[in-house]
Amino acid sequence: MSLVFDALVIGSGPGGLAIAAALCNQGLRVAGLATTPPPVEWSNTYGIWCNELEPMKMTHLLSHRWQNCVTYTLDQKISLQREYGLFDNVKLQSHFLKQCEQGKMVWHQGTATSIEHLPSHSCVTTTQGAKVAARVVIDVSGHKPALLKRPQSDRIAYQAAYGIVGTFSSPPIDAQQFVLMDYRSDHLSPAQRQEEPPTFLYAMDLGGGVFFVEETSLANSPAVSFEVLKKRLYQRLAFRGVQVNHIHHIEYCLFPMNLPLPLINQSVMGFGGAASMVHPASGYMVGALIRRAPGVAAAIAQALNHPNGSPGEIAATGWQTLWSTEEIRKHALYRFGLENLMRFDEGTLQAFFASFFQLSLPQWSGFLANTLSIPEMLQTMLNLFGRTTNEVRWNLMRSAWSDRALLWEVWHPQVNVDPENKPDSRSK
């Protein structure tokens, strides 16, 4: 093991390739470690609002775009007046891999099992006994990371979804339409509405008589099972006289929404789901991965310019960029929003979203994309409070007391540190 790379990226999903490509663009010597090195098929669908991609000139990576984007809530149809897109996974992966190849990135096959931090670099050992050394290691291996540490939590909320790509006896949604949320529940029995967590339909017309329909639980603890979601999806379709003719693909989606932030003073850097980058109030992440990878990579590259920098010092620079004080404060505010969404009954939840999507486009779109500042987020929440129903207002006021610890964190952000890892490199 004579070669020490500048950076080792663990993981080859969208997050792993996004940060690997950004590091390569900084002129760094980058290695990758994955159970199956790319190219590999990504089975999940990744959607994004088109205007998030336009500044990065990446709209050509979309396979579909919809201008007719709607939400159904409280039995009303709300036109979102915003264009939505679906990534072509092959194009998105190829986009990142081309940058990795230009940077002469080296991929290793295996699963990381342990890491040793030395004064000048870190050494990762795989299940096969292979060793890969780098000045900084970036764990992008998903929500159950290989090496990253985070505090334990006894109440993790999960977004869960069961989806079908296929053909149907009749169109399940309008032609050339994208449905962000259809919370209508007229297909459910009164007992289901009262006793089971609310779910919604996420759907899109893929053209050629093919549709994607997905029953989704926004957030629940414990997670809503795939069996319940499948039953609800078929129940929803049957209520509208729609039968499934042929299934091309079944999608299972399950991920945590409110994982605690990682321990910021550890000597391993993180990115993506491993670094708790999922938007706690919506589940969005892909846009944030693409938008934030270049800035994190630039910070790491700058730290690597110091030849005597330790792995902990280099990782600290990355952590400070990814989870700045402002981002930690916003994360607490989003978690406060998530707690409200999980507490709302179906009627209150529908009233909330009816008010939310009637906010100005910059407000609700910025909230979902996590591009608002703290003052802008608070103004958005005040505007929502002013235009929503009394039931929603009462629940929000009650939550301000019951979840006051989260609101306290907005003004007094809590940094998670490992007390056994001293000194705290973040404070240097």
Side-chain angles (χ1 to χ4, degrees):
M1 189 191 62
S2 58
L3 180 61
V4 177
F5 293 92
D6 290 323
L8 170 63
V9 175
I10 300 176
S12 60
L17 293 193
I19 192 64
L23 291 166
C24 287
N25 290 337
Q26 291 290 326
L28 303 178
R29 296 172 301 160
V30 184
L33 177 63
T35 304
T36 304
V40 295
E41 182 180 357
W42 293 339
S43 58
N44 286 345
T45 56
Y46 300 108
I48 192 169
W49 297 102
C50 294
N51 62 355
E52 290 188 49
L53 289 179
E54 288 166 357
M56 297 172 281
K57 299 181 179 180
M58 293 176 63
T59 55
H60 64 285
L61 302 178
L62 299 173
S63 62
H64 298 80
R65 298 175 69 156
W66 295 271
Q67 293 183 336
N68 180 16
C69 302
V70 300
T71 286
Y72 292 93
T73 183
L74 289 181
D75 294 327
Q76 62 177 309
K77 175 182 174 182
I78 301 174
S79 177
L80 299 178
Q81 303 298 312
R82 194 181 182 200
E83 191 175 15
Y84 195 78
L86 184 69
F87 277 112
D88 181 317
N89 285 357
V90 173
K91 287 184 178 179
L92 179 62
Q93 189 177 85
S94 298
H95 170 80
F96 290 133
L97 287 177
K98 181 179 179 180
Q99 297 170 63
C100 294
E101 290 168 3
Q102 290 173 343
K104 297 181 171 25
M105 182 175 177
V106 178
W107 283 97
H108 300 263
Q109 184 167 1
T111 302
T113 57
S114 63
I115 186 168
E116 180 184 7
H117 298 295
L118 303 172
S120 62
H121 64 274
S122 298
C123 182
V124 172
T125 302
T126 72
T127 51
Q128 294 78 18
K131 296 182 183 293
V132 187
R135 293 186 63 197
V136 65
V137 175
I138 307 170
D139 192 339
V140 204
S141 56
H143 306 292
K144 296 180 179 179
L147 301 174
L148 276 182
K149 300 177 183 178
R150 64 161 52 88
Q152 295 295 316
S153 175
D154 58 359
R155 190 166 182 265
I156 300 299
Y158 291 88
Q159 183 165 128
Y162 173 89
I164 294 173
V165 176
T167 58
F168 301 82
S169 60
S170 58
I173 60 174
D174 292 345
Q176 300 181 345
Q177 185 181 68
F178 165 72
V179 179
L180 178 64
M181 290 178 169
D182 183 350
Y183 262 110
R184 291 176 295 182
S185 58
D186 44 2
H187 58 289
L188 300 177
S189 67
Q192 285 177 302
R193 296 181 199 176
Q194 293 176 3
E195 299 170 8
E196 297 180 5
T199 60
F200 64 89
L201 178 71
Y202 171 85
M204 52 193 73
D205 178 6
L206 298 177
V210 179
F211 294 83
F212 175 54
V213 293
E214 187 172 69
E215 195 73 22
T216 305
S217 165
L218 180 62
N220 203 70
S221 180
V224 177
S225 70
F226 293 129
E227 292 76 13
V228 169
L229 292 168
K230 178 180 179 181
K231 177 183 177 181
R232 282 199 166 197
L233 177 60
Y234 277 84
Q235 195 173 350
R236 184 188 294 273
L237 294 172
F239 183 80
R240 287 161 175 73
V242 178
Q243 295 180 335
V244 179
N245 283 346
H246 182 71
I247 296 176
H248 298 166
H249 170 71
I250 295 177
E251 178 164 306
Y252 298 93
C253 182
L254 178 67
F255 58 86
M257 297 275 282
N258 60 342
L259 285 175
L261 298 185
L263 301 175
I264 300 300
N265 65 331
Q266 60 188 304
S267 297
V268 177
M269 175 59 191
F271 197 70
S276 305
M277 287 180 66
V278 170
H279 192 305
S282 69
Y284 281 117
M285 184 171 67
V286 175
L289 298 177
I290 297 171
R291 187 170 57 251
R292 303 197 62 196
V296 173
I300 291 174
Q302 185 175 7
L304 285 166
N305 283 333
H306 301 283
N308 297 323
S310 68
E313 290 169 334
I314 298 168
T317 300
W319 282 124
Q320 289 166 0
T321 302
L322 182 64
W323 284 114
S324 64
T325 300
E326 174 84 353
E327 289 298 329
I328 293 173
R329 294 173 65 195
K330 289 199 290 182
H331 190 261
L333 199 52
Y334 280 127
R335 283 161 52 212
F336 171 78
L338 174 66
E339 291 297 326
N340 280 277
L341 294 178
M342 290 196 296
R343 193 175 292 119
F344 290 161
D345 60 26
E346 183 194 311
T348 307
L349 188 63
Q350 291 205 42
F352 172 86
F353 281 116
S355 303
F356 179 80
F357 286 111
Q358 289 171 0
L359 293 168
S360 69
L361 179 58
Q363 286 187 325
W364 71 255
S365 63
F367 190 90
L368 292 182
N370 188 22
T371 55
L372 301 180
S373 65
I374 288 286
E376 290 170 334
M377 286 180 66
L378 293 173
Q379 185 61 56
T380 296
M381 296 172 76
L382 286 173
N383 289 354
L384 174 66
F385 188 86
R387 70 167 60 230
T388 194
T389 65
N390 288 332
E391 182 67 20
V392 173
R393 289 192 191 98
W394 166 244
N395 277 273
L396 291 173
M397 288 188 294
R398 184 170 56 185
S399 181
W401 173 253
S402 60
D403 297 318
R404 59 191 180 278
L406 288 174
L407 293 180
W408 174 263
E409 287 184 35
V410 175
W411 306 112
H412 304 83
Q414 302 296 309
V415 177
N416 295 330
V417 298
D418 183 355
E420 297 181 0
N421 187 12
K422 298 178 181 180
D424 182 0
S425 56
R426 184 182 176 89
S427 64
K428 290 185 177 181

